[in-house]
Amino acid sequence: MIQKLKEIYQYRFLVLSLVSRDLKVKYKGSVLGFFWSLLNPLVMLAVYTVAFKYIIKVRVENFPIFFLCAFLPWSYLNASLSMSVGAIKDNGNLVKKVYFPREVLPLSVVLSNLVQFLLTFLILIPALLFFKIDLGLALLLLPLVILFQTGFNLGLSYFFSASHVFFADIKHLLEIFLQIWFWLTPIIYPVSFIPEKYLVLYKLNPAVWFVEGYRSLLLHNKGIPFQECVLLFLIGAVFFLFGHLFFNYKNKRFAEEI
Amino acid sequence: METVKITNLSKKFRRYHQKSSNIKYAVLNLFKGFGSSRHEDFYALKHINLSVQQGETVGIIGENGSGKSTLLKLIARILFPDEGTIETKGKIATLIELGAGFHDELSGRENIYVNASLLGFKKKEIDDKIDEIIEFSGLKHFIDNPIKTYSSGMYLRLGFSIAINVNPDILLIDEILAVGDENFQKKCFERIEEFKDKGKTILIVSHDLNVIERMCDRVILIDNGQQFSKQDPVEAISEYHKRLFQKRKQALRLGPDKTAVETSGEMRTLTATQFNRWGSREAEITSVKFFDDQGNETYDFRTRDHLKIRMDYHAKKLIKKPVFGIAVYTEDGVLLTGPNTRTGDCDIDVIQGQGSVEYVMESVPFLPASYLFTVSIYDHSLRHAYDHLEKCLVFNVVESRKVKDKFGTLHIPAQWRHVKKGKPEPR
């Protein structure tokens, strides 16, 4: 495992160039360039605000910020998974013809989504200031939460991209799964909406903890209790480890099965 | 120093009867074990042992499907062995797929960075090399254009330049020396020779036995996943010819009809194991038949017989100026003749749909033996193969009373004359 990580580190320039290739290709030739990355969440923000604040009348303070704090990390997760699921199979011609650590493929997808996620803070921070939300020391914990979520995203990306090689339907299953997952996560409603008796079950969803973590830091300017920090770390680490091991186990037959 | 050491290597592949990577089969097969539908294992390589010293050039030959590319991919770590071990020392570069990972929207220069990093190189190393790579490719003026504007030749040239200019310790080459024009090919060979001189290790897989013989210190013959014990280039290559010929003879004798290419279905099964076939297949050879002067189909002739070869083709689209060619080889693979419609002044303007081309020998010039026959369709420049069936058929020349020559291969129409000294014979 250590050896594998070392090797991936040795190929860091490949990761870097794949990430920058991803981003370059994405924005090349479009007039607004990377502003599309910002525009998209803004539009979603407008749509959901109108729908849930004014039509359905969800009573939540500062709905736009409440929504953004959860929606942006969710988008990071959502995009990471739906883009990385085909990472191995779609690059079949590479996998079959060139050696390089295959982890690099899902890894670079997740990292390029991380970059875009970080860019969206260019919207979030001004929005926080605009709505006069106090920002404070709690922000120092933000990099940690982002790191743990990246571990979580990465683990799942490893799992899905490796499974997809052997089982093509996983892509479609994932789409449905992500839809359901969106509604099972407190993005457009607060956790308090969940009836008490389902709460334990509800909190088995790891995304709940991440979303709540982000909200606590950004919206409420509150730290995260130590136990919850440890829990976030564990979620990130366990998912990463599991994904990594699974990927490595399946890795040996990628080139034959694609 | 040993740079590649392979010990008792075996590789199994799965042959699926019904590949179940969609949900219907997965559900049906749930009871038989998830996702892994009925399959059987077969050995692509069996008990391979190989030790390559630094500075050696080793060729790997064998028929299609014999396992030679699999071996190269195992060394390149693209595939993993099932049994045995492979140890390698130093950096490996593979010339298996040129331009793998190129992205159309990016410029040539940007693609060099992505592609070289795929081969495991760091930014600094690429910075040092990039001028040389661009220089070598001869694409200086286009290097900052997106490569979607490149022609396929330029594309391959860029890919080759990257792979050959990075500085590996072990170079793995699989059938890619047929890149670009003659000039560029020469440059590539020179670069590979340079590599050799620098004491790098090279492994080459190729069907082109001339290249193999010219470049390799040792040759590994792989047949049906197993290696031939001798590695001397001359011995291995002649063994290869011998085995090829044996198999072809057997296959033809067993067939219902002596043409190896009677029906496309049969052809396909033969392609995999019996002979090499390549080409873009816009036009295909659908059948090859030999006839005697009575118009009867036969594959046994006598020297000086009349022989007619009819090749049926099917052109799936309109093809301008195609060139049909044949070639006749001895059992040892020596080329005896290789005429084509272009050199034979039989220009064909266009072909589309079905048709046939005939080649008539008024008098068979071959002495009794078995001969191998190649047939092909090329474009006008003879560079692009539409369909090429290498040594796809065997025909025999048997003893005849007409010709009593015994030695050599050819019967040359000529006369003997005895000239007595001082007293020339009157004409």
Side-chain angles (χ1 to χ4, degrees), chain B residues 8-293:
Chain B
N8 201 23
L9 171 80
S10 295
K11 175 70 191 168
K12 274 188 281 193
F13 281 132
R14 285 182 180 180
R15 191 185 286 144
Y16 288 94
H17 297 299
Q18 205 164 42
K19 190 159 182 178
S20 78
S21 61
N22 71 49
I23 203 152
K24 189 173 130 207
Y25 293 120
V27 171
L28 287 175
N29 284 317
L30 215 51
F31 306 100
K32 299 172 197 159
F34 181 74
S36 60
S37 64
R38 287 171 295 153
H39 68 262
E40 60 186 71
D41 290 337
F42 70 98
Y43 279 94
L45 288 172
K46 229 171 178 177
H47 309 309
I48 303 290
N49 287 289
L50 177 63
S51 154
V52 182
Q53 302 293 319
Q54 189 185 359
E56 271 191 311
T57 303
V58 176
I60 303 171
I61 57 174
E63 291 171 73
N64 282 346
S66 60
K68 56 192 189 317
S69 293
T70 303
L71 179 60
L72 214 61
K73 284 183 177 174
L74 282 159
I75 298 170
R77 294 189 294 170
I78 294 166
L79 297 173
F80 290 78
D82 288 305
E83 291 156 37
T85 55
I86 302 174
E87 289 160 53
T88 54
K89 284 197 190 86
K91 194 169 257 178
I92 302 175
T94 51
L95 274 70
I96 293 179
E97 176 88 334
L98 295 171
F102 276 175
H103 203 291
D104 280 354
E105 295 288 334
L106 300 181
S107 73
R109 189 186 300 276
E110 287 165 323
N111 267 305
I112 291 176
Y113 277 94
V114 177
N115 200 253
S117 61
L118 203 55
L119 297 169
F121 293 87
K122 300 193 181 68
K123 183 165 184 331
K124 223 181 86 64
E125 294 173 292
I126 305 169
D127 284 337
D128 293 341
K129 286 270 173 199
I130 190 147
D131 291 331
E132 207 179 321
I133 293 173
I134 296 170
E135 179 69 39
F136 190 86
S137 68
L139 298 171
K140 211 168 192 167
H141 301 295
F142 308 96
I143 204 66
D144 290 310
N145 299 352
I147 66 164
K148 64 180 171 191
T149 62
Y150 285 21
S151 72
S152 60
M154 289 158 79
Y155 200 88
L156 289 175
R157 260 156 64 184
L158 188 64
F160 192 87
S161 306
I162 297 167
I164 197 93
N165 279 297
V166 296
N167 198 22
D169 302 298
I170 303 170
L171 185 64
L172 307 177
I173 307 175
D174 190 354
E175 286 297 358
I176 51 156
L177 294 174
V179 171
D181 52 41
E182 227 168 283
N183 224 340
F184 189 72
Q185 256 186 46
K186 217 177 112 206
K187 250 164 64 173
C188 297
F189 274 114
E190 277 167 14
R191 185 51 64 103
I192 292 171
E193 289 291 335
E194 249 174 66
F195 246 82
K196 272 183 83 164
D197 294 342
K198 276 190 210 156
K200 311 274 183 171
T201 308
I202 306 175
L203 280 99
I204 307 178
V205 163
S206 182
H207 281 126
D208 190 341
L209 297 174
N210 295 326
V211 170
I212 294 277
E213 199 165 7
R214 195 167 87 211
M215 300 186 47
C216 298
D217 306 313
R218 275 194 293 145
V219 173
I220 314 291
L221 167 60
I222 296 187
D223 185 11
N224 230 335
Q226 282 169 324
Q227 82 191 103
F228 177 57
S229 56
K230 285 177 186 150
Q231 301 185 349
D232 175 71
V234 178
E235 271 182 79
I237 288 174
S238 77
E239 177 73 18
Y240 177 54
H241 280 303
K242 223 167 86 192
R243 291 189 187 190
L244 259 189
F245 193 72
Q246 284 303 328
K247 269 186 208 165
R248 208 161 279 139
K249 249 164 131 176
Q250 252 169 25
L252 290 168
R253 214 172 280 148
L254 291 172
D257 178 290
K258 282 193 176 179
T259 49
V261 285
E262 182 54 43
T263 66
S264 59
E266 198 184 337
M267 203 145 71
R268 226 168 281 133
T269 52
L270 285 166
T271 310
T273 52
Q274 310 305 347
F275 61 91
N276 292 320
R277 184 174 192 172
W278 63 84
S280 57
R281 301 281 183 95
E282 282 105 333
E284 282 185 344
I285 305 273
T286 51
S287 139
V288 180
K289 287 182 178 170
F290 283 44
F291 301 95
D292 64 14
D293 53 353

Side-chain angles (χ1 to χ4, degrees), chain A residues 76 108 113 118-119 122-123 156 159 169 191 204 223 230 245 249:
Chain A
Y76 173 34
S108 65
N113 279 303
L118 293 178
L119 285 175
L122 291 176
I123 303 181
L156 286 176
F159 174 77
D169 299 52
V191 180
L204 283 178
V230 171
L245 292 176
Y249 167 65

Side-chain angles (χ1 to χ4, degrees), chain A residues 23-24 26-41 115-123:
Chain A
L23 296 174
K24 268 187 208 158
K26 195 159 191 174
Y27 301 125
K28 215 162 212 177
S30 67
V31 181
L32 288 183
F34 94 97
F35 285 101
W36 281 114
S37 286
L38 306 185
L39 206 61
N40 187 35
V115 172
Q116 298 191 62
F117 173 49
L118 293 178
L119 285 175
T120 54
F121 277 83
L122 291 176
I123 303 181

